[in-house]
């Protein structure tokens, strides 16, 4: 496993011959509150990952024992003028869209508090693995703002408009068991196993065609919310992008030869 730092607060680890990358939030003194500096680092790490064709899956984790991420750094924001807040906005958006727009499957490994922008970082991922200590929520209206990292758009896509409205309007925190029942998280695991189980799931996914994984994610994301006919056209375009690839040829050959594929990734 290799490691690379992006600024002071983000650590990038590479697993499984580099095919699984772990993007670790590493600001323990602030429970991973997203400061301006941390947002820049998350965005920079995502740019690096998005351009690395060897990476097939990204796992978003936390180095803090009791929190995934508690959201925006309100201590920093308390010192901001209106002009400061305007200048910071594109920086913070860059962190959330950086995770959201990663071209490969992404998994959030959540334990402890994942609140506000912290939960939005998890919602930006394709799958959320949470342990039984997880507490999630979007409490922004309780401090006079609204979710600004994609929460008003990503949450209803997970749980429906009415349920998302209830959660956002009440600003309530949801514990792990209820979160799993509502679909706020996808996989509920025993305490302390969120990272381990998320990495295991990532390794399983990474064994598949990198060309296929990217195309499947593109079809899922672009087609969501479209009417069926338009969505099927998105799927067809994605299918055509892989149908004549080296990965497709290798996959068919490996199946017929009863061996593990060696994906060319093209």
């Amino acid at each position: 496993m290799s490691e690379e730092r992006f600024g002071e607060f983000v650590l990038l680890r590479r697993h499984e011959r580099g095919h699984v990358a772990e993007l670790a939030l590493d600001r323990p003194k602030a429970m991973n509150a997203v400061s301006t500096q941390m947002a820049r680092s998350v965005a920079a790490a995502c740019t690096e990952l998005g351009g690395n064709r060897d990476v097939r899956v990204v796992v978003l984790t936390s180095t803090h024992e009791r929190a995934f991420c508690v959201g925006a750094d309100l201590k920093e924001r308390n010192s901001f003028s209106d002009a400061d807040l305007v200048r910071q906005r594109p920086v913070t958006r860059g962190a959330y869209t950086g995770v959201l727009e990663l071209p490969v499957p992404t998994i959030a490994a959540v334990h402890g508090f994942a609140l506000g922008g912290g939960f939005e970082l998890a919602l930006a991922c394709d799958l959320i693995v949470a342990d039984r200590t997880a507490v999630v929520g979007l409490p922004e209206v309780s401090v006079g703002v609204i979710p600004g990292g994609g929460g008003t758009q990503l949450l209803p896509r997970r749980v429906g408009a009415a349920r998302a409205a209830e959660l956002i309007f009440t600003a309530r925190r949801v514990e792990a068991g209820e979160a799993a029942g509502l679909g706020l998280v996808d996989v509920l695991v025993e305490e302390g196993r969120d990272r381990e189980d998320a990495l295991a799931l990532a390794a399983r996914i990474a064994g598949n065609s990198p060309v296929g994984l990217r195309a499947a994610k593109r079809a899922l994301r672009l087609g969501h919310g479209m009417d069926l006919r338009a969505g099927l056209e998105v799927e067809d375009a994605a299918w055509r992008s892989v149908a004549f690839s080296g990965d497709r040829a290798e996959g068919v050959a490996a199946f017929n030869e009863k061996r593990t594929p060696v994906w060319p990734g093209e």
Side-chain angles (χ1 to χ4, degrees):
M1 180 174 67
S2 63
E3 294 187 352
E4 178 183 1
R5 294 207 73 89
F6 284 79
E8 185 179 355
F9 304 130
V10 173
L11 179 63
L12 186 61
R13 300 184 177 117
R14 301 186 191 278
H15 302 257
E16 296 291 323
R17 301 186 305 279
H19 297 321
V20 174
E22 180 183 357
L23 181 59
L25 306 177
D26 187 31
R27 195 186 179 203
K29 292 182 179 179
M31 299 180 80
N32 289 330
V34 181
S35 64
T36 305
Q37 181 183 347
M38 185 172 175
R40 285 197 181 98
S41 296
V42 170
C46 288
T47 297
E48 165 71 18
L49 289 168
N52 188 332
R53 299 293 297 188
D54 195 44
V55 173
R56 300 179 188 174
V57 188
V58 173
V59 181
L60 184 62
T61 67
S62 162
T63 64
H64 196 283
E65 293 182 356
R66 295 186 295 108
F68 175 72
C69 173
V70 294
D73 186 343
L74 296 184
K75 289 184 178 180
E76 179 187 56
R77 288 196 180 178
N78 192 47
S79 67
F80 278 5
S81 66
D82 289 350
D84 291 332
L85 191 58
V86 169
R87 282 191 292 269
Q88 189 206 39
R89 178 60 177 162
V91 177
T92 54
R93 283 197 72 187
Y96 299 111
T97 57
V99 175
L100 183 65
E101 294 176 359
L102 283 168
V104 297
T106 54
I107 304 169
V110 174
H111 60 267
F113 297 114
L115 301 173
F119 189 37
E120 289 174 302
L121 285 171
L123 289 172
C125 296
D126 300 299
L127 295 167
I128 302 175
V129 175
D131 83 356
R132 294 190 180 277
T133 70
V135 179
V136 304
L138 296 175
E140 282 85 352
V141 298
S142 70
V143 293
V145 291
I146 69 167
T152 65
Q153 305 306 305
L154 296 171
L155 189 58
R157 284 167 166 78
R158 270 188 164 266
V159 300
R163 179 62 68 194
E166 183 264 325
L167 293 168
I168 291 171
F169 294 162
T170 62
R172 70 184 180 94
R173 300 180 178 189
V174 183
E175 295 187 358
E178 183 185 3
L182 294 176
L184 298 174
V185 304
D186 303 301
V187 182
L188 185 61
V189 300
E190 294 304 313
E191 181 176 345
R193 290 192 57 89
D194 55 294
R195 177 177 177 269
E196 181 181 351
D197 285 15
L199 287 169
L201 176 58
R204 179 179 178 182
I205 293 171
N208 295 312
S209 158
V211 171
L213 288 172
R214 286 172 178 252
K217 176 164 181 172
R218 190 164 63 249
L220 284 163
R221 285 289 178 90
L222 293 178
H224 188 91
M226 291 183 173
D227 64 67
L228 180 58
R229 186 179 297 275
L232 289 173
E233 290 302 315
V234 168
E235 181 184 80
D236 185 66
W239 179 87
R240 290 175 184 277
S241 74
V242 302
F244 311 103
S245 68
D247 274 15
R248 194 276 309 171
E250 169 62 10
V252 172
F255 176 84
N256 284 289
E257 295 166 13
K258 297 181 172 55
R259 60 175 175 80
T260 300
V262 180
W263 304 113
E266 57 184 20

